[in-house]
Structure formats: structure tokens, C-alpha cells
Amino acid sequence: MNALHASTASPATVERKTFCGICEAACGIVVTVQGDAVLKIRGDVDHPNSKGFLCPKGAAFGAVRDDPDRVLQPLQRQADGGFVPVSWDAALDDIGARLRGIIRRHGRESIGVHLGNPNGWNYGAFMWLLGMAAALKTKHLYTASSVDINNYWVVGELLYGHNLVTPFPDIAHTQFLIVLGANPVVTHGSMMTAGRVKEQMAAIVERGGRVVVIDPRRSETAAQFEWQPMRPDGDPWLLAGMLKTILDEGLADTAALHRQTRDADALPALLAAVSGDRVAAETGIAWAEVQALARAFAAAPAAALYGRCGASLGPFSTLTNYLINLLNIVTGNLDKRGGMVFGQPMLDTEGFTRLFGINGYDRWRTRVDGIPEVMGTSPLATLPREIRTPGKGQLRALLIASGNIATTSCASGDVGAALDELDLLISLDPYITETSQRAHYILPPTLWLERDGMPIFSQMHAAVPYAQWTPASVAPRGEARDDWWIIDEICKRIGLVPSASRAAQWLGKLGIRLTPATAVDLFMRLGSAGDRFGLKAGISRRRLFERTSGVALADAPAVGVSRQRVHHPGGLIPLRQPLMTAEMARLVARPASHDPAYPLQLVSIRELRSQNSWLHNVPKLTPGDRRPHLRVHPDDARALALQDGDEAAITSPWGEITVPVTVSDEMMPGTVALPHSWGHAGGWRRAVAIGGGRYNDLTSNAATEIDLPSGNAVLNGLRVRVARRNVALAAAS
């Protein structure tokens, strides 16, 4: 009887702590598990940063793991476009054979790698993908960073001597926060990992400070604080006007400039052609109001100017990011409590990337377009031409890890068509998406609940420095395997170790291959927070596995450390930047972009229950009519004879899509807004059934239509025209 009861009893219910691997907030979570089933996910009140907060996306992620549309076996594409399951050995052996053939014909440099956004929370995949590209010595390394963040890496290298030195707001102590083109209430803080960010922003006002949100749209964040509407693409003009006011009126912190920088005397010349009239015309903000904002920012006892995706998706995004940094530096708010501070990650990412030669800028140019590399990567915008242009180094094979670039890249339709021209496309993805449906093989990776993890990306911008490394919460489903294992097995079959280290390649020939966990643990333990292998109190993988809520490393990021964190001679920031001077001249010379054929400007929206495209198959996150709706100001709607629910055609110089309309005064007149990354195909049924126009089909990947210094895509401020669908169709016929 006891044996019978033992065999039929339900598995025990247990709770395991980890972190959410969806967005940069990396909130601590508690996962309730019974056997192999995930019963519930909730916030972890003991987490040093998030303190129990969790958004709907994290709480619903169990549905992604258990999705009936999830790919759970290796799939091989057939001649008719369908897929059949195959064994891991059959898939990997055939991939290896095909890659060896491509290498014989075209060389290793013809093989490329793409890192999708989720790899920022998958340290094993992140390291092994970079290592694979380094071992191949290929210039075809593409990442999601070239969509919206390469400008950060460029400015980090120019000003601070390392791509990954990217200051962020000390939000818990600031008195004046300017939010430029960001919506932290929804995003929870991109490039700023601040737990309970909405509450922390409200606390600024409660202690007598100000939060000013500058955006063409009265976003969820702008609705709760001071909203200053501004025209799309006005960002560099606003910043230049503010900086000019501060310098002209003697409001700069000269002591901080002397202590932290060199060549401050170059700044007036940078701004010589900036006039109040031009600033007002480009931004839609009166010059007197720009000046008042600059004076208030300079006078605040502690202030931080923070910009994110809206400021990172325009044609001058690197210049914009440079000017953001200048304003924080010139007002004495860099490396200051309540200002912009440097991160204190558990893993010395700056030292790690420098050791393996990953960091850098413009060490080489892309083969076809001559765009500067950023941290050894090429812009995603260049990928179709690299596939189609014959010659040495032509891209012939591509491995994509958790990326849906046939939807989320600029000119996404062109990208999808170019992928069809490859000799071999391998996709590591849990779904048959618009991208992976083109792959010769889809290989199923584990999801973040099913593998051990550390929030490697979020660590660099944590408002409360902490360390966390957790075991898997639940066993993998089906035949899913860790991404790093898949990458390593592919590399074995072409005679490589996925590493930039010559020692690793030599050890590989002896059959010795380190795991990512071993490599990261070794490096972490030697760092400032590490235990030096028992020589001092500190962190290690084993210790963090015992404290899965995470370990606080400090109450707040250190200040007064700029001389140590700036990698230029003397620890001084070089403010004279010829590249940025040239960009400012290009900005000034650019004529007004008004075009009667395209009278409106389109900007993108990030939604609370969406994260790029990879959560769009979850019913809990996509209830009702989840098609992307175009937000239109009432004045513009009247002029266009549009009403709520109408179908409208949006036309840009590069494409046209049809979407339903929502009339809302949240928009600045002359500007319309649309959620991005929708419009699905493939085998994930709910995502496909939702339908909707694909924002990125309206964009361009031309080398002249990107941010030139960084290669970032231009996805905001697009010139468009909008018409009721039946009117548009009648005109076309």
C-alpha cells in the first residue's frame, strides 16, 4: 500500500528564485514548480533591486514555456517549405557538413552570426556567439544593438575610452530628471536598471524635485509627470540649444570640467551655428522655454538627463547621445550623487571585453557600404547587401540566435527576402517565426526558466549594484538544449572552439573545452567583488547559487570614480571630438525635411504587454483586438476624415501598410504613432491570427538612411502620409 501511494502521489510543490529574462529590469521572481510544471510566477520581495515588483510579461512567461506552438525538436526544412523533426545528431552533422563545404568554397569569413535581444539575459549564448564569430574571424557579426543602441557604444568609446562605459541616472537621489524619448513606466528602464522605477520617479517629485518628459506623445510616463511635447528628430537641436544656453550664460560647472575633462574650450565652436530660431523651428518648442529648461537643469542641486529609444532611433542618434553626455558633464552632474553614475557590475564587463579585444570602434569598415564597426559588429542594415554582393567575404551562411529580423529589422521585408538567398540559414528559436520559417534548420533552445542564469547585461546599469546567479527553475521541455551547447556542437564540427582566445583553441585540439559557467565564474571570482578563490569574502557561482534572491554589492553606485572609470590618458574625458563636430555640421546643413507628399511624422510605441516580437503568441498578453493601432491627434484626424476604428493606409517613401486608427490627444499634432514588431507569419498561430501592419516595412536599410557613425537604424520620425483605406484604394485604382 505504501509503495502504491508513493507511486501515485503528486510531486511536491516547491518555490525557486531566479530573475525575469525578458527585459532590462531583470526583476527578481519566485517560480512555483510542481514536477516539470510551472504553476505560478510572482515577484521576489527579497530581490535587492526590484523588491517584489513584476510586470504582466514576467508573470505570464510560463505560457511561453508551455506553448503548444513551441518548437521542441530540431526541425529540417523540406523542399515544399514545410518542416520535419530530425534527431540532434542528424541536424548537427548535416549543418557541420554544409558549413565545411561553404568554408572550402568561400572561406570562414563567409559565415555570419546574429544575436537577438534575448541573448542579453543568456550569458552562455552571448559569450559563445561572440566567441564563434571571433574564432571564424568574420566581420559578419550582427546584433540587435544596431537597431537602437550602437550609438551608446560609440559615445562610450569616444568619451570614456570603452564602449561599455555608459553612465545612467542615480534616480534614487536626483532632484531633476529629464526623460528624453523614453517611457520608463512601460519599459521599466532601458539602460537604467532601477527597481520600481515608476515609484522612484514619483519620489523625485515628492521630495520637491521635478521630472520632465520630452516626447512627441503623451506617453504613460509623460501623463504622470511634466510633459513637454517635441517634434520627432528635434532631440539634437533641443540638446544643442540647452548646451549653448548653459555655456553662453556662464552656467557650466568649471570646477567639474577642470577635474574630469580636457578640451572644454572646443565646445563653443561646436555650437557656433546653433541659433534660437533654428532650435525652435526644429523642436516645436519656443526658444525661451528651451533656455528656461537649460537654466533649471544647470541650477538643480543634482540632475540627470536620460534619453533612450526615442532618442536612439533618429538619423543623428550618436550626436544626440553625445550631447546628452555633454549636458550631464558640463553641469557637473557626471559621477555625482543624484546625477549620472557609472555601473558597478558583478562581472567586470569592461575588463572582460578588453581582454579579448571585443571593445573598440572603427577598426574596420563593412565590405559593401564602408560603415564603421562597433565592438566588432556590422550594422544589421547592411546585411541584405552583404548577402547579395559577390566577392571575397560575401555572406553565405548565417546562424541567428533568438532573433526575428524578418520583422524587427529596418526594411524587414528586404531582410526576409535576402535570407532566402543564403546557402545555409540556422535559427535557434522556440517558434516558427517569419525569420525561422526561412531557415534550413530550426534548433530548439532552452528558455530562461530552464537554464541557469545571470543578468549579464542589466548588471552594467543597476541602480542598486547587486550580484545574482541562479540554477534552472524547471527542467527543459522536449529536446530543447542550451544555446551555448548547440553553438559549441556546431563549432566542434567545423574544428573551432567558440572563443577569441588562442589558448582556448589550443586546448580544444586536446579535447578540453570550458563551459561558459566555468569561464565566467573564474573571471568573476578574480574581480573586485569576487572571493579570489577563498582568499577574501566575496562572490562566486557556488555562493550565489545559495542566495538566489541576489546579493547587494552596495546601497548605490560609487561616485567620485571617474578617473578610474575613464580609460583615456589621465582618466580625463576628451570633449573635442572631430567626428561629432562633423555630425553637427551635417545636422546644421540638413534642410528642413517637410515634404507635402509625406506631411506627417511616424514614431514607434512600446507597449506594456509586448517586448519586441517574442511574446506575441501568449493569449494572456494578447487579449481582444491586439492589432497595432495608429494613434492620430484629433486635429489631424479631422483633416484626414478619420474616426476611431477606421482602417488607414500609412505610406512612406519605402512601403505601405494598413492599420486601424485610434484618435487621441496623446499625440502632438503632425505626429502619429504605431506599436512596432507586429504583422506575423509562420507557425505561431496566435501571433499570426492577430494580424496588423508591420511598422518596419515602412523603413529603409539604405546606407544613406541610417545614423552614419553607429549604423543604427532610423525608425522614428519617418515621413509618412495617412489616408482612409477605401480612399487610398480608390486613388490607387
Side-chain angles (χ1 to χ4, degrees), residues 211-225:
V211 176
V212 177
V213 183
I214 303 170
D215 201 290
R217 171 177 171 253
R218 189 177 66 245
S219 65
E220 292 82 350
T221 304
Q224 299 189 32
F225 300 100

PDB file of all heavy atoms in Angstrom, residues 211-225:
ATOM      1  N   VAL A 211      10.343  66.010 -12.613  1.00  0.00           N
ATOM      2  CA  VAL A 211      10.541  65.045 -13.689  1.00  0.00           C
ATOM      3  C   VAL A 211       9.890  65.633 -14.933  1.00  0.00           C
ATOM      4  O   VAL A 211       8.680  65.874 -14.954  1.00  0.00           O
ATOM      5  CB  VAL A 211       9.918  63.676 -13.364  1.00  0.00           C
ATOM      6  CG1 VAL A 211      10.064  62.730 -14.561  1.00  0.00           C
ATOM      7  CG2 VAL A 211      10.549  63.066 -12.124  1.00  0.00           C
ATOM      8  N   VAL A 212      10.694  65.890 -15.958  1.00  0.00           N
ATOM      9  CA  VAL A 212      10.205  66.463 -17.208  1.00  0.00           C
ATOM     10  C   VAL A 212      10.383  65.416 -18.304  1.00  0.00           C
ATOM     11  O   VAL A 212      11.495  64.917 -18.514  1.00  0.00           O
ATOM     12  CB  VAL A 212      10.956  67.753 -17.580  1.00  0.00           C
ATOM     13  CG1 VAL A 212      10.478  68.285 -18.925  1.00  0.00           C
ATOM     14  CG2 VAL A 212      10.775  68.810 -16.493  1.00  0.00           C
ATOM     15  N   VAL A 213       9.296  65.079 -18.986  1.00  0.00           N
ATOM     16  CA  VAL A 213       9.314  64.064 -20.036  1.00  0.00           C
ATOM     17  C   VAL A 213       9.139  64.767 -21.381  1.00  0.00           C
ATOM     18  O   VAL A 213       8.136  65.447 -21.609  1.00  0.00           O
ATOM     19  CB  VAL A 213       8.213  63.022 -19.826  1.00  0.00           C
ATOM     20  CG1 VAL A 213       8.294  61.937 -20.900  1.00  0.00           C
ATOM     21  CG2 VAL A 213       8.320  62.408 -18.434  1.00  0.00           C
ATOM     22  N   ILE A 214      10.119  64.597 -22.270  1.00  0.00           N
ATOM     23  CA  ILE A 214      10.103  65.248 -23.580  1.00  0.00           C
ATOM     24  C   ILE A 214       9.845  64.183 -24.629  1.00  0.00           C
ATOM     25  O   ILE A 214      10.641  63.253 -24.803  1.00  0.00           O
ATOM     26  CB  ILE A 214      11.437  65.970 -23.843  1.00  0.00           C
ATOM     27  CG1 ILE A 214      11.694  66.992 -22.718  1.00  0.00           C
ATOM     28  CG2 ILE A 214      11.434  66.651 -25.200  1.00  0.00           C
ATOM     29  CD1 ILE A 214      13.075  67.596 -22.743  1.00  0.00           C
ATOM     30  N   ASP A 215       8.717  64.312 -25.332  1.00  0.00           N
ATOM     31  CA  ASP A 215       8.293  63.237 -26.232  1.00  0.00           C
ATOM     32  C   ASP A 215       7.208  63.781 -27.159  1.00  0.00           C
ATOM     33  O   ASP A 215       6.411  64.621 -26.734  1.00  0.00           O
ATOM     34  CB  ASP A 215       7.735  62.070 -25.400  1.00  0.00           C
ATOM     35  CG  ASP A 215       7.740  60.756 -26.154  1.00  0.00           C
ATOM     36  OD1 ASP A 215       6.941  60.626 -27.096  1.00  0.00           O
ATOM     37  OD2 ASP A 215       8.530  59.861 -25.797  1.00  0.00           O
ATOM     38  N   PRO A 216       7.155  63.310 -28.406  1.00  0.00           N
ATOM     39  CA  PRO A 216       6.037  63.729 -29.274  1.00  0.00           C
ATOM     40  C   PRO A 216       4.684  63.211 -28.793  1.00  0.00           C
ATOM     41  O   PRO A 216       3.648  63.726 -29.211  1.00  0.00           O
ATOM     42  CB  PRO A 216       6.389  63.113 -30.638  1.00  0.00           C
ATOM     43  CG  PRO A 216       7.835  62.774 -30.560  1.00  0.00           C
ATOM     44  CD  PRO A 216       8.109  62.464 -29.124  1.00  0.00           C
ATOM     45  N   ARG A 217       4.721  62.217 -27.941  1.00  0.00           N
ATOM     46  CA  ARG A 217       3.497  61.582 -27.454  1.00  0.00           C
ATOM     47  C   ARG A 217       3.413  61.729 -25.942  1.00  0.00           C
ATOM     48  O   ARG A 217       4.416  61.621 -25.235  1.00  0.00           O
ATOM     49  CB  ARG A 217       3.504  60.100 -27.838  1.00  0.00           C
ATOM     50  CG  ARG A 217       2.399  59.263 -27.218  1.00  0.00           C
ATOM     51  CD  ARG A 217       2.458  57.820 -27.710  1.00  0.00           C
ATOM     52  NE  ARG A 217       1.543  56.972 -26.960  1.00  0.00           N
ATOM     53  CZ  ARG A 217       1.908  56.077 -26.044  1.00  0.00           C
ATOM     54  NH1 ARG A 217       3.200  55.887 -25.775  1.00  0.00           N
ATOM     55  NH2 ARG A 217       1.009  55.368 -25.393  1.00  0.00           N
ATOM     56  N   ARG A 218       2.194  61.985 -25.447  1.00  0.00           N
ATOM     57  CA  ARG A 218       1.976  61.970 -24.001  1.00  0.00           C
ATOM     58  C   ARG A 218       1.899  60.500 -23.588  1.00  0.00           C
ATOM     59  O   ARG A 218       0.842  59.902 -23.450  1.00  0.00           O
ATOM     60  CB  ARG A 218       0.693  62.720 -23.636  1.00  0.00           C
ATOM     61  CG  ARG A 218       0.529  62.925 -22.116  1.00  0.00           C
ATOM     62  CD  ARG A 218      -0.718  63.726 -21.786  1.00  0.00           C
ATOM     63  NE  ARG A 218      -1.927  62.999 -22.131  1.00  0.00           N
ATOM     64  CZ  ARG A 218      -2.808  63.367 -23.056  1.00  0.00           C
ATOM     65  NH1 ARG A 218      -2.613  64.461 -23.760  1.00  0.00           N
ATOM     66  NH2 ARG A 218      -3.885  62.632 -23.300  1.00  0.00           N
ATOM     67  N   SER A 219       3.083  59.932 -23.386  1.00  0.00           N
ATOM     68  CA  SER A 219       3.200  58.512 -23.064  1.00  0.00           C
ATOM     69  C   SER A 219       2.681  58.246 -21.656  1.00  0.00           C
ATOM     70  O   SER A 219       2.303  59.173 -20.920  1.00  0.00           O
ATOM     71  CB  SER A 219       4.669  58.089 -23.158  1.00  0.00           C
ATOM     72  OG  SER A 219       5.422  58.763 -22.157  1.00  0.00           O
ATOM     73  N   GLU A 220       2.694  56.976 -21.266  1.00  0.00           N
ATOM     74  CA  GLU A 220       2.284  56.622 -19.912  1.00  0.00           C
ATOM     75  C   GLU A 220       3.146  57.320 -18.869  1.00  0.00           C
ATOM     76  O   GLU A 220       2.674  57.657 -17.778  1.00  0.00           O
ATOM     77  CB  GLU A 220       2.356  55.106 -19.739  1.00  0.00           C
ATOM     78  CG  GLU A 220       1.332  54.324 -20.551  1.00  0.00           C
ATOM     79  CD  GLU A 220       1.720  54.084 -21.996  1.00  0.00           C
ATOM     80  OE1 GLU A 220       2.722  54.679 -22.477  1.00  0.00           O
ATOM     81  OE2 GLU A 220       1.026  53.305 -22.675  1.00  0.00           O
ATOM     82  N   THR A 221       4.411  57.537 -19.192  1.00  0.00           N
ATOM     83  CA  THR A 221       5.303  58.259 -18.271  1.00  0.00           C
ATOM     84  C   THR A 221       4.998  59.748 -18.290  1.00  0.00           C
ATOM     85  O   THR A 221       4.867  60.390 -17.243  1.00  0.00           O
ATOM     86  CB  THR A 221       6.773  58.021 -18.650  1.00  0.00           C
ATOM     87  OG1 THR A 221       7.034  56.615 -18.660  1.00  0.00           O
ATOM     88  CG2 THR A 221       7.713  58.699 -17.661  1.00  0.00           C
ATOM     89  N   ALA A 222       4.864  60.314 -19.488  1.00  0.00           N
ATOM     90  CA  ALA A 222       4.593  61.751 -19.608  1.00  0.00           C
ATOM     91  C   ALA A 222       3.275  62.128 -18.947  1.00  0.00           C
ATOM     92  O   ALA A 222       3.147  63.226 -18.382  1.00  0.00           O
ATOM     93  CB  ALA A 222       4.569  62.137 -21.080  1.00  0.00           C
ATOM     94  N   ALA A 223       2.298  61.227 -18.970  1.00  0.00           N
ATOM     95  CA  ALA A 223       0.991  61.524 -18.388  1.00  0.00           C
ATOM     96  C   ALA A 223       1.061  61.699 -16.877  1.00  0.00           C
ATOM     97  O   ALA A 223       0.180  62.336 -16.281  1.00  0.00           O
ATOM     98  CB  ALA A 223       0.007  60.414 -18.742  1.00  0.00           C
ATOM     99  N   GLN A 224       2.099  61.171 -16.240  1.00  0.00           N
ATOM    100  CA  GLN A 224       2.190  61.237 -14.784  1.00  0.00           C
ATOM    101  C   GLN A 224       3.128  62.332 -14.283  1.00  0.00           C
ATOM    102  O   GLN A 224       3.187  62.588 -13.079  1.00  0.00           O
ATOM    103  CB  GLN A 224       2.651  59.884 -14.244  1.00  0.00           C
ATOM    104  CG  GLN A 224       1.671  58.770 -14.588  1.00  0.00           C
ATOM    105  CD  GLN A 224       1.996  57.476 -13.880  1.00  0.00           C
ATOM    106  OE1 GLN A 224       2.512  57.471 -12.772  1.00  0.00           O
ATOM    107  NE2 GLN A 224       1.675  56.363 -14.524  1.00  0.00           N
ATOM    108  N   PHE A 225       3.854  62.964 -15.216  1.00  0.00           N
ATOM    109  CA  PHE A 225       4.812  63.993 -14.799  1.00  0.00           C
ATOM    110  C   PHE A 225       4.651  65.216 -15.702  1.00  0.00           C
ATOM    111  O   PHE A 225       3.574  65.425 -16.249  1.00  0.00           O
ATOM    112  CB  PHE A 225       6.227  63.401 -14.844  1.00  0.00           C
ATOM    113  CG  PHE A 225       6.401  62.208 -13.947  1.00  0.00           C
ATOM    114  CD1 PHE A 225       6.364  60.912 -14.461  1.00  0.00           C
ATOM    115  CD2 PHE A 225       6.555  62.371 -12.578  1.00  0.00           C
ATOM    116  CE1 PHE A 225       6.489  59.809 -13.637  1.00  0.00           C
ATOM    117  CE2 PHE A 225       6.670  61.272 -11.733  1.00  0.00           C
ATOM    118  CZ  PHE A 225       6.642  59.987 -12.263  1.00  0.00           C
TER     119      PHE A 225
END
